[in-house]
Amino acid sequence: MAAKNRVVVGLQWGDEGKGKIVDLLARQASIVARFQGGNNAGHTLVVDGKTLVLHLVPSGILHANITCAIGNGVVVDPEVLLKELDALADRGHTIHPKQLLVAEGAHVILPFHRQLDGAREASLGDQKIGTTGRGIGPTYEDKIARRGLRMSIFVDDERRRNHIAALLPEKNRQIENWYGQAPLTIDEIEAWAKPLAARLAPYVTDTPAVLHQATQAGQSILFEGAQGTFLDVDHGTYPYVTSSNTIAGAACAGTGVGPTQIHQVIGVTKAYTTRVGAGPFPSAMTEEEEAKLRKIGGEFGATTGRPRRCGWFDAALVRRAVLLNGATDLALTKLDILSGYPALQICTHYADGCAPTSAEALAKALPVYETVPGWTEDISGVRTWADLPINCQRYVQRIEALVGAPATLLSVGPGRDEVIHRSVL
Ligand code: IMP
């Protein structure tokens, strides 16, 4: 088979189950590359019955013959990254620097970024975004303001110290004067940074060059998105979004691979809808329905543990996401969770032709629902399309027709093999 470079992205508000899909498709790739976000993401993998939550390390890491790359578009908390590597080592997966490449151009999350993220959210009261508190926004701010600390400087002791020392007075003015918190000292930050930098240095490299060599050698790259389309800083429900571009187009800027090298875009969507953090959510269920689905679906954030808001499948939202990402395929996840519902609702569109363009538009959107019959059978053991209950097939087909893309992968349970392939992906 010819080499195929694929992007996997979320089509909703994150938590669509991308980690599992990446882990599955990684078998056909030589490199798995993250291109945006940071440890605000939480990708849950269930392998051999054991659960592993990754926040920064790409989800292909459990395949020993695959190289994982953290692209320049990612913001990296070095402490978190090293803790993840330690956790992997404890499970018998010691990660060699050849197996994990960290881009020289990736920006580093520093202790004051985390502190400012928390302090700002606290000061916003009921206007808060509901961030994960990991320092993501403040780090991207520094990147765009052209004063951020890149990995290449982080691992150089002298340049790192000078860079942080130059940043610190302004950060401390905000921390002390605006938020009334204790300032940080350069020695404190250095005591934290120095040992982390020493450990990370062997992993830091010119990742674009490695990716170019791989494509020239005919190897396949799998680009792993984090968060979801409606958390995209440009196309999501701004300002209730994350601070990076989460759509498939960001795979190029976030790794240094050109758009002509992308061959397939797989959009991951749950068979229903969830959201964590603040912001509009048109297809929200009643409290009672939500409590039921949250319990069956285990809908609690993988990063923060926060309960996720739950709603019916919103085709208006996913239809737009298919277009924003140029999705060629859908991976429909958590279909098994809907077993046992006598009837299901699908939001087909919003009244008055309203489109999911912004937080204001979505706050006014009135979802129009279609009710379709459910199915009672447990489908977690089903592995072929033909064995799915007819009403389940119809549910999937209705979604495909409404959003305009084929559901080539159906996930019917958390395990690696609990999946139905409808074509050779
Ligand atoms: P931040 O990315 O921590 O700045 O948070 C901004 C918004 O994105 C908040 O609503 C978060 O809950 C949401 N968010 C960030 N990362 C994820 C994710 O991986 N899954 C779901 N929501 C996320």
Side-chain angles (χ1 to χ4, degrees):
M1 190 176 69
K4 219 175 203 184
N5 295 335
R6 295 164 159 157
V7 185
V8 176
V9 282
L11 298 184
Q12 297 163 311
W13 278 290
D15 310 317
E16 297 93 350
K18 295 176 292 296
K20 168 177 166 168
I21 303 300
V22 170
D23 181 53
L24 192 75
L25 297 178
R27 298 172 199 188
Q28 297 160 33
S30 299
I31 301 186
V32 178
R34 275 277 306 264
F35 55 88
Q36 46 73 228
N39 60 310
N40 46 351
H43 292 167
T44 308
L45 307 178
V46 180
V47 182
D48 302 331
K50 288 188 202 142
T51 302
L52 178 68
V53 183
L54 296 173
H55 300 284
L56 265 173
V57 173
S59 303
I61 200 73
L62 296 180
H63 303 267
N65 53 344
I66 288 175
T67 305
C68 286
I70 295 182
N72 52 276
V74 177
V75 288
V76 179
D77 185 326
E79 185 179 345
V80 172
L81 178 55
L82 287 166
K83 274 196 186 139
E84 260 173 49
L85 295 184
D86 289 342
L88 283 160
D90 286 348
R91 287 162 160 261
H93 299 276
T94 300
I95 309 301
H96 189 269
K98 279 211 168 87
Q99 240 182 301
L100 179 71
L101 317 174
V102 180
E104 289 167 342
H107 280 249
V108 178
I109 301 179
L110 294 164
F112 45 70
H113 292 128
R114 282 186 252 160
Q115 195 170 345
L116 284 170
D117 194 358
R120 275 189 205 156
E121 280 283 277
S123 74
L124 284 171
D126 58 7
Q127 300 293 305
K128 69 176 185 209
I129 307 286
T131 73
T132 58
R134 305 297 194 254
I136 306 296
T139 308
Y140 277 116
E141 279 172 39
D142 279 350
K143 169 176 172 169
I144 300 305
R146 296 162 297 186
R147 58 176 176 236
L149 178 68
R150 294 171 129 202
M151 266 296 166
S152 53
I153 298 183
F154 182 73
V155 295
D156 176 326
D157 284 348
E158 195 184 335
R159 292 171 76 206
R160 180 189 62 247
R161 190 183 172 98
N162 291 342
H163 194 107
I164 297 175
L167 279 178
L168 200 54
E170 188 188 325
K171 300 297 175 198
N172 274 341
R173 271 199 297 279
Q174 293 180 23
I175 289 170
E176 275 189 285
N177 301 345
W178 296 1
Y179 302 116
Q181 296 186 4
L184 297 164
T185 66
I186 181 69
D187 289 340
E188 257 171 352
I189 300 178
E190 272 295 299
W192 170 85
K194 200 170 176 191
L196 298 172
R199 280 191 67 197
L200 269 188
Y203 297 90
V204 177
T205 190
D206 177 4
T207 48
V210 177
L211 297 175
H212 300 156
Q213 275 160 19
T215 46
Q216 279 157 7
Q219 296 176 345
S220 297
I221 304 171
L222 187 62
F223 296 91
E224 174 179 6
Q227 291 85 49
T229 298
F230 293 96
L231 290 172
D232 182 284
V233 68
D234 286 299
H235 298 286
T237 47
Y238 191 90
Y240 301 103
V241 291
T242 191
S243 300
S244 61
N245 284 113
T246 60
I247 56 171
C252 295
T255 58
V257 172
T260 48
Q261 302 299 323
I262 307 285
H263 309 113
Q264 195 176 24
V265 176
I266 296 146
V268 187
T269 171
K270 271 181 192 161
Y272 47 93
T273 314
T274 62
R275 177 167 201 174
V276 267
F281 188 28
S283 68
M285 295 171 159
T286 63
E287 263 178 46
E288 202 180 317
E289 287 164 341
E290 178 177 70
K292 175 178 163 188
L293 188 59
R294 184 183 291 140
K295 193 162 171 224
I296 315 173
E299 295 298 351
F300 295 89
T303 300
T304 57
R306 290 179 289 179
R308 295 175 183 148
R309 291 185 277 162
C310 300
W312 300 107
F313 186 82
D314 185 341
L317 205 70
V318 177
R319 184 160 57 235
R320 186 167 174 102
V322 165
L323 296 173
L324 287 168
N325 290 286
T328 53
D329 300 80
L330 300 178
L332 193 62
T333 60
K334 292 197 141 179
L335 197 54
D336 55 306
I337 302 301
L338 296 181
S339 288
Y341 278 83
L344 297 164
Q345 308 232 56
I346 300 177
C347 163
T348 55
H349 62 286
Y350 306 136
D352 304 325
C354 172
T357 51
S358 64
E360 301 90 79
L362 271 192
K364 289 189 219 131
L366 292 175
V368 178
Y369 290 105
E370 184 176 291
T371 305
V372 296
W375 60 94
T376 50
E377 299 88 334
D378 173 9
I379 59 168
S380 56
V382 175
R383 295 291 173 269
T384 62
W385 171 254
D387 288 339
L388 280 175
I390 188 74
N391 283 348
C392 180
Q393 291 183 357
R394 287 190 180 133
Y395 184 70
V396 174
Q397 284 165 334
R398 185 67 185 130
I399 286 176
E400 293 177 314
L402 285 167
V403 308
T408 35
L409 274 177
L410 306 175
S411 173
V412 291
R416 242 184 197 175
D417 299 313
E418 289 175 310
V419 75
I420 297 170
H421 294 261
R422 288 179 67 208
S423 71
V424 187
L425 247 189

